[in-house]
Amino acid sequence: MFRAALLRSARAAAATARPATMTARGRTLITAARPVRVSAVAAPRVQAVRMYSAGGALKKEEVEGRIMSLLQGFDKIKPTAHFANDLGLDSLDTVEVVMAIEEEFSIEIPDKDADSIHSIEQAVTYILNQPDAS
């Protein structure tokens, strides 16, 4: 939806603006007061750019608190708690915890990285190393 709106606005801008010269298939056409029809004119390219802010880094205490609040229903919650050994979670529960962490911090954790997260401490370390975690 966003891309369609962006392309519509680019087409509208291209329709109202007349460049001094246009190139179509190796020929240069000089535009005058009257419109020139060229069938092979390329549409303007639009490139999206993702910017990162340097000031919005998460603090370790904030990440620990948010992860621990996700796991409120379990006993023995502490920063070094292991999901299976200390909290008694099976593999499906661990996957659900990782999915909740992804949703909480607005990131996507690849499967190979998710398989290595077995404790709150490992989850905190992983989140702190992600530049787009929020």
Side-chain angles (χ1 to χ4, degrees):
M1 184 168 167
F2 176 73
R3 184 171 46 181
L6 199 61
L7 289 174
R8 271 195 307 265
S9 65
R11 284 187 193 125
T16 58
R18 294 213 178 140
T21 62
M22 294 189 308
T23 304
R25 293 187 185 185
R27 289 180 271 155
T28 302
L29 303 174
I30 307 294
T31 59
R34 59 186 165 85
V36 176
R37 288 189 182 182
V38 177
S39 61
V41 175
R45 290 186 177 215
V46 179
Q47 182 178 2
V49 177
R50 187 172 197 171
M51 303 280 190
Y52 291 100
S53 171
L58 296 171
K59 306 247 185 285
K60 182 177 180 179
E61 296 79 23
E62 179 186 357
V63 173
E64 280 181 0
R66 287 170 66 180
I67 291 175
M68 291 175 69
S69 69
L70 288 172
L71 301 171
Q72 286 178 12
F74 299 98
D75 296 334
K76 303 182 218 172
I77 296 293
K78 56 187 177 189
T80 59
H82 190 273
F83 294 149
N85 299 340
D86 297 331
L87 303 178
L89 301 179
D90 62 6
S91 60
L92 183 59
D93 292 331
T94 303
V95 169
E96 289 178 359
V97 167
V98 170
M99 289 173 56
I101 290 170
E102 287 177 329
E103 188 174 319
E104 175 69 23
F105 293 97
S106 303
I107 61 170
E108 188 172 328
I109 301 174
D111 290 340
K112 69 178 183 86
D113 293 339
D115 291 341
S116 66
I117 298 175
H118 298 290
S119 68
I120 295 173
E121 193 170 52
Q122 290 172 339
V124 168
T125 303
Y126 183 83
I127 297 298
L128 290 174
N129 290 328
Q130 299 305 307
D132 53 346
S134 58

